[in-house]
Amino acid sequence: MKNKGIFIAIEGPIGVGKTTLATILSNHFNHTLLREIVEENPFLSKFYNDIKEYALQTEAFFLFNRVKQLEDIEKNTLSKSQCVISDYHIIKNLIFAGLTLDKMQFHRYKQVYNTFVNDLPQPDIIVYLNSHTDILMKKIALRDRSFERQMDRNYIDELSREYKYYFNPLSIKHNFMGTEPIIIEVDNSNLDFLNNEKDKAFIINKVEQAIKQLGGYA
Ligand SMILES: Nc1ncnc2c1ncn2[C@@H]1O[C@H](COP(=O)(O)OP(=O)(O)O)[C@@H](O)[C@H]1O
Ligand SMILES: Nc1nc2c(ncn2[C@H]2C[C@H](O)[C@@H](COP(=O)(O)O)O2)c(=O)[nH]1
């Protein structure tokens, strides 16, 4: 067992079920839950009205908030051998920024990203969820956040495609700053971790196996 706590992150496109699964897993394993800030981002609703105009502010806000959260979680939790389950991986900043910023902005943003992310704790295990776009659109509608009501299907489609690119097993090491986390990829289009005990047991078992692989205890 390593001295630091195990760090598990859940990733995947908007509405795929990250927060839902992270909450289920943190309750099951009794680990600290790290939730991303969303509503606190003052640019997000303006961003959805005019992506081009507000992209840089939105991406910068998300990046610096996540940097602060991850610095805190390292200091207060992981370094004290406590485990963390997070509903995001900081790589999502690059995934979104690559879609929303123009070429020059993205080039500069990546330099800032690399400078900060090098010193942050990196997850040992990532659960990468994906679903069909139709299902993502349905879940986004079901959640009914006011600023997501006009969500563009093409944006979700492109986002899913970018996620697939970043989580391609052949480019993990390159895309994840030289780290090689255990990736559990699950298409949850037809799974319901929330209401179906069999589906919940399936994902918990996968995570338990990954923890054992690390030499840790669930
Ligand atoms: N497996 C599931 N089956 C049915 N509904 C789900 C499932 N997982 C999540 N949901 C619902 O879908 C919506 C989006 O889930 P959420 O966890 O907020 O996604 P994310 O954090 O990836 O954006 C929520 O309304 C949630 O209750
Ligand atoms: N442009 C960006 N938008 C982001 C980023 N992180 C989250 N978000 C948006 C997407 C959703 O509308 C909302 C919550 O995200 P979930 O994936 O948890 O549903 O916030 C980002 O880095 N850039």
Side-chain angles (χ1 to χ4, degrees):
M1 172 101 166
K2 58 183 198 148
N3 293 332
K4 278 196 179 186
I6 291 172
F7 183 10
I8 302 171
I10 320 295
E11 254 311 339
I14 305 173
V16 76
K18 298 180 293 296
T19 307
T20 306
L21 180 59
T23 308
I24 291 171
L25 293 178
S26 85
N27 288 336
H28 177 82
F29 291 111
N30 198 22
H31 293 336
T32 299
L33 175 64
L34 173 63
R35 284 194 61 167
E36 71 171 352
I37 48 95
V38 176
E39 270 84 7
E40 293 88 338
N41 188 331
F43 305 110
L44 199 54
S45 59
K46 289 180 186 155
F47 166 84
Y48 278 114
N49 283 330
D50 189 342
I51 291 190
K52 245 183 149 173
E53 185 67 24
Y54 288 98
L56 187 59
Q57 283 151 301
T58 305
E59 305 311 344
F61 185 94
F62 274 120
L63 176 59
F64 289 118
N65 262 279
R66 290 182 182 134
V67 168
K68 172 73 175 133
Q69 278 191 318
L70 291 168
E71 283 172 352
D72 288 349
I73 212 80
E74 168 71 15
K75 195 168 63 189
N76 302 326
T77 312
L78 292 168
S79 68
K80 295 180 178 162
S81 301
Q82 292 161 19
C83 302
V84 172
I85 309 222
S86 159
D87 71 353
Y88 70 88
H89 185 296
I90 194 141
I91 196 97
K92 79 186 290 177
N93 286 284
L94 281 190
I95 298 177
F96 278 88
L99 276 185
T100 64
L101 300 180
D102 68 33
K103 222 171 155 195
M104 182 50 82
Q105 286 173 328
F106 185 56
H107 175 71
R108 291 178 179 148
Y109 181 88
K110 247 177 27 189
Q111 291 174 331
V112 177
Y113 174 93
N114 288 335
T115 307
F116 281 94
V117 171
N118 260 330
D119 297 328
L120 296 176
Q122 297 294 326
D124 305 289
I125 300 167
I126 305 174
V127 181
Y128 162 44
L129 299 175
N130 53 54
S131 285
H132 298 138
T133 301
D134 288 344
I135 291 178
L136 295 175
M137 293 302 288
K138 265 192 208 149
K139 283 190 182 160
I140 292 167
L142 187 76
R143 186 169 58 190
D144 196 30
R145 283 183 178 140
S146 56
F147 51 83
E148 292 175 349
R149 282 193 189 130
Q150 308 301 322
M151 188 64 80
D152 181 354
R153 195 180 189 286
N154 288 333
Y155 182 59
I156 299 299
D157 240 357
E158 281 181 50
L159 209 47
S160 290
R161 225 171 298 134
E162 284 300 300
Y163 267 100
K164 283 192 183 117
Y165 163 74
Y166 272 89
F167 281 90
N168 179 334
L170 297 177
S171 45
I172 288 291
K173 201 169 173 187
H174 174 254
N175 291 336
F176 285 77
M177 319 273 303
T179 65
E180 286 186 277
I182 297 173
I183 310 257
I184 303 170
E185 180 174 347
V186 176
D187 182 333
N188 72 340
S189 299
N190 298 310
L191 299 176
D192 184 347
F193 304 133
L194 203 54
N195 304 303
N196 184 316
E197 285 302 318
K198 218 171 124 200
D199 293 346
K200 183 174 159 184
F202 162 80
I203 193 68
I204 287 173
N205 181 260
K206 288 242 176 210
V207 174
E208 280 171 348
Q209 293 303 319
I211 292 171
K212 281 201 189 110
Q213 211 177 312
L214 289 172
Y217 306 98

